[in-house]
Amino acid sequence: LLDALADQAALAIERIQLVDDIDRAKLAAEADRLRSALLTSISHDLKTPLAAVLGASTTLRDYFASMSEEDRADLLSTVVDESERLNRFIANLLDMTRIESGAMEPNSALHDVGDIVGSALRRAAKILSHHRAQVNIPADLPTVSVDPVLFEQVLFNLLDNAAKYAPEGSTVEIKGWAGTGIGTGDVMVQVSDSGPGIPSDDLDRVFDSFYRVRKGDQVRAGTGLGLSICRGFVEAMGGTISAANRPDRSGAVFTISLPRPQEIANDITKLEDMT
Ligand code: ADP
């Protein structure tokens, strides 16, 4: 009997190894497929603006003398805009690699949320010029422990999306409030819009690199990296970010929860210990 059991066990182990090998082969094939989809997507995102720069600059070189002042200015604007787009995309890719390799080291210190929201709004002024921005950050909101450069980038990416996906003339709201929870993550900052919102199945997937909800979203000047960078940056600063919809699905809501300053958290723990 023991021999028979041992044989059966050996057979079962062999089968498990076989399944394991098949699974491993499947995983490797999936990884290969993802890698090549990623390369195709990156190449496309690099090629499109580069083709526009090449087209505009070649036309300028060949026809400069016979062109009107206005056409020259138009083509030069294309060169500048598309180069900026390339620049942004490459900066995003570099940020992504730094996040994924764990090399992101935030330079966190105590900062005023209102100040950083203000500078993100100034940077986004041009892209938000067809929307109304409504800011509601209480003056007595506790300072937060963040890297101001990273936090500004997170807010800028969210404002950029709101401007891209919500209709012109609509309101983009930025709200801040102090949560009541003990410990970290209790200063909340929220960016919401009145655009199409995000289907509930995609609410978490929008934070994946290169993920886009609608096919039509590909044609907009996006990289599919904005939100994954937001999540990478916020998590590197010890916070969290999540997506939701307004109750009636009339817009997207992004909520960031940031760590409260360590010394205040410590004071509260001390108070708790005393009681
Ligand atoms: P993209 O460069 O495509 O905007 P993101 O990572 O910033 O990349 O966003 C991923 C996807 O999430 C977008 O392509 C879009 O489908 C969806 N999305 C992001 N922000 C919003 C928003 N405010 N309203 C509706 N959909 C959004």
Side-chain angles (χ1 to χ4, degrees):
L1 182 70
L2 276 180
D3 277 352
L5 275 177
D7 280 352
Q8 265 181 15
L11 214 70
I13 289 171
E14 234 169 68
R15 272 206 204 114
I16 290 171
Q17 270 166 352
L18 202 70
V19 171
D20 218 35
D21 284 348
I22 294 173
D23 279 353
R24 235 177 272 142
K26 265 195 201 150
L27 275 179
E30 179 62 8
D32 274 351
R33 196 190 60 75
L34 280 176
R35 200 171 304 125
S36 96
L38 192 69
L39 278 179
T40 312
S41 167
I42 294 178
S43 315
H44 173 80
D45 283 318
L46 288 173
K47 243 182 126 172
T48 313
L50 197 58
V53 170
L54 205 60
S57 51
T58 312
T59 313
L60 272 169
R61 184 197 59 194
D62 295 346
Y63 302 99
F64 191 82
S66 57
M67 262 180 180
S68 71
E69 205 53 52
E70 205 185 345
D71 285 346
R72 278 183 206 155
D74 265 2
L75 287 171
L76 277 173
S77 290
T78 304
V79 173
V80 173
D81 292 349
E82 297 297 321
S83 305
E84 274 174 357
R85 194 170 148 184
L86 266 177
N87 214 3
R88 237 181 7 245
F89 182 67
I90 292 166
N92 280 351
L93 274 182
L94 288 176
D95 283 341
M96 223 36 248
T97 345
R98 276 200 297 160
I99 292 169
E100 275 169 8
S101 67
M104 175 64 56
E105 276 183 27
N107 201 354
S108 290
L110 290 187
H111 287 278
D112 187 73
V113 173
D115 286 350
I116 304 181
V117 166
S119 41
L121 274 169
R122 276 191 295 281
R123 212 176 121 200
K126 207 167 126 198
I127 47 174
L128 270 177
S129 59
H130 301 293
H131 292 77
R132 263 175 301 150
Q134 194 176 308
V135 185
N136 187 356
I137 309 279
D140 60 354
L141 190 67
T143 47
V144 285
S145 170
V146 288
D147 180 323
V149 177
L150 300 191
F151 189 36
E152 185 188 311
Q153 185 65 43
V154 169
L155 293 170
F156 177 84
N157 288 359
L158 296 178
L159 293 171
D160 188 34
N161 279 348
K164 263 193 308 199
Y165 301 110
E168 291 192 357
S170 64
T171 302
V172 178
E173 199 186 346
I174 308 170
K175 228 165 47 174
W177 71 93
T180 48
I182 302 290
T184 57
D186 66 345
V187 172
M188 319 293 285
V189 183
Q190 194 171 70
V191 177
S192 51
D193 62 55
S194 336
I198 296 167
S200 45
D201 280 352
D202 293 315
L203 283 173
D204 208 46
R205 277 191 287 181
V206 288
F207 293 100
D208 291 349
S209 306
F210 300 102
Y211 190 80
R212 279 161 161 181
V213 176
R214 291 155 288 258
K215 267 225 147 21
D217 292 344
Q218 312 268 359
V219 295
R220 295 172 200 251
T223 59
L225 285 174
L227 288 178
S228 49
I229 288 171
C230 286
R231 180 163 272 176
F233 281 4
V234 169
E235 287 180 353
M237 294 186 289
T240 59
I241 181 168
S242 59
N245 286 304
R246 288 193 164 154
D248 49 358
R249 208 44 233 282
S250 63
V253 183
F254 291 90
T255 309
I256 302 167
S257 162
L258 291 166
R260 69 166 48 199
Q262 200 51 48
E263 58 267 38
I264 298 178
N266 287 345
D267 284 351
I268 287 176
T269 317
K270 266 189 230 144
L271 272 177
E272 281 174 341
D273 287 347
M274 278 160 64
T275 52

